[in-house]
Amino acid sequence: MDLEPGFIEDGGEHSHGYGRWIEGTLKLGLFGGARRLGKARWIIDAFRCVRCSHLELFVRPND
Ligand SMILES: [Zn+2]
């Protein structure tokens, strides 16, 4: 695996109803929120193993 750092965005009150992944190590701003201005976001798909319920996350390709 060739892993790149990132974090899952919490949209809070302005949630779109699905999780998104943002590239780069999570850094907090002055007021404790994640610094994410101008960063690319990827929609996350979550796949569950029907046998053991293990969860795997993938992001959709971004264009
Ligand atoms: Zn399994």
Side-chain angles (χ1 to χ4, degrees):
M1 277 196 268
D2 208 357
L3 299 176
E4 137 178 77
F7 60 95
I8 295 173
E9 179 176 44
D10 177 2
E13 301 266 319
H14 308 290
S15 171
H16 293 267
Y18 51 84
R20 296 192 295 183
W21 179 83
I22 298 179
E23 69 183 333
T25 309
L26 173 62
K27 288 187 185 120
L28 301 183
L30 271 184
F31 303 104
R35 281 203 233 150
R36 53 191 172 163
L37 211 71
K39 292 194 174 183
R41 291 152 165 82
W42 279 263
I43 293 175
I44 300 168
D45 285 316
F47 295 86
R48 182 182 76 90
C49 174
V50 294
R51 293 199 181 83
C52 69
S53 286
H54 171 79
L55 207 57
E56 285 272 348
L57 302 179
F58 291 87
V59 291
R60 295 182 187 183
N62 234 354
D63 26 56

